[in-house]
Amino acid sequence: MNTQEQFVKVMSECRALFVKKLHDYGAAWRILRPSSLTDQIYIKANRIRSLEMKGVSMVGEGIRPEFVGIVNYAIIGLIQLEKGYSEKPDDMTIDEVVEAYDRHAEEVLQLMLRKNHDYDEAWRCMRISSYTDLILMKVFRTKQIELLDGETLVSEGVDANYMDMLNYAVFGLIKLTFGENDTEE
């Protein structure tokens, strides 16, 4: 499989879980402000880093579900940036939510393809732990942008950081799914 096919496969797994949770919980996340979503991504990335450092999970869930969570929270973040948060979680139909998910997933795929072209798939030579660190760095950048109310001088916005976090999480999932861990320490 090429990178685009691997990306689509991994994203389809993330989407399937998202849709199942949408069925079970509805769009309860619609009440979350973007800053809360940034914190949720931080929790996931910090847990991955903790598991990478400790080498063992005390609750029985590994790194993979946390990367899936980052993907889905990043897309939720993109939806919230686009639509704004809501006081009521039922302001979007399930079809509208899924359409928004798919549209943002496609935007992120296209961004990844453009960057992958320019960087010549350098991510394949990186360790999964580097993706974790880069996601955490992007979280802290996002928190700073949020503190500045988006008023940056030269930096991209929160949306670009969510897209980058999502792509790093997908790279981790690709390596975990397709057994490309040969660059791991």
Side-chain angles (χ1 to χ4, degrees), residues 17-37 40 72-101 104:
L17 180 62
F18 180 85
V19 169
K20 287 176 184 173
K21 287 190 174 194
L22 187 60
H23 172 271
D24 290 352
Y25 304 131
W29 49 264
R30 285 288 292 132
I31 68 159
L32 294 174
R33 292 167 285 185
S35 59
S36 296
L37 290 160
Q40 286 299 309
N72 286 337
Y73 276 125
I75 288 189
I76 290 170
L78 292 168
I79 293 169
Q80 296 297 77
L81 288 173
E82 175 186 53
K83 304 229 13 121
Y85 68 92
S86 175
E87 296 298 326
K88 298 182 284 184
D90 61 354
D91 70 327
M92 291 177 73
T93 67
I94 289 185
D95 289 341
E96 290 171 330
V97 170
V98 172
E99 183 277 326
Y101 185 102
H104 286 293

Side-chain angles (χ1 to χ4, degrees), residues 115-153:
K115 285 187 173 187
N116 217 25
H117 173 271
D118 290 355
Y119 289 94
D120 203 26
E121 296 208 335
W123 67 272
R124 290 198 182 271
C125 297
M126 295 170 62
R127 297 174 188 97
I128 293 174
S129 59
S130 293
Y131 307 142
T132 306
D133 291 351
L134 288 166
I135 292 168
L136 284 167
M137 179 189 68
K138 293 284 184 177
V139 165
F140 288 118
R141 285 182 176 183
T142 301
K143 286 183 174 199
Q144 179 63 27
I145 294 168
E146 290 167 348
L147 285 173
L148 295 171
D149 291 323
E151 298 296 322
T152 60
L153 298 177

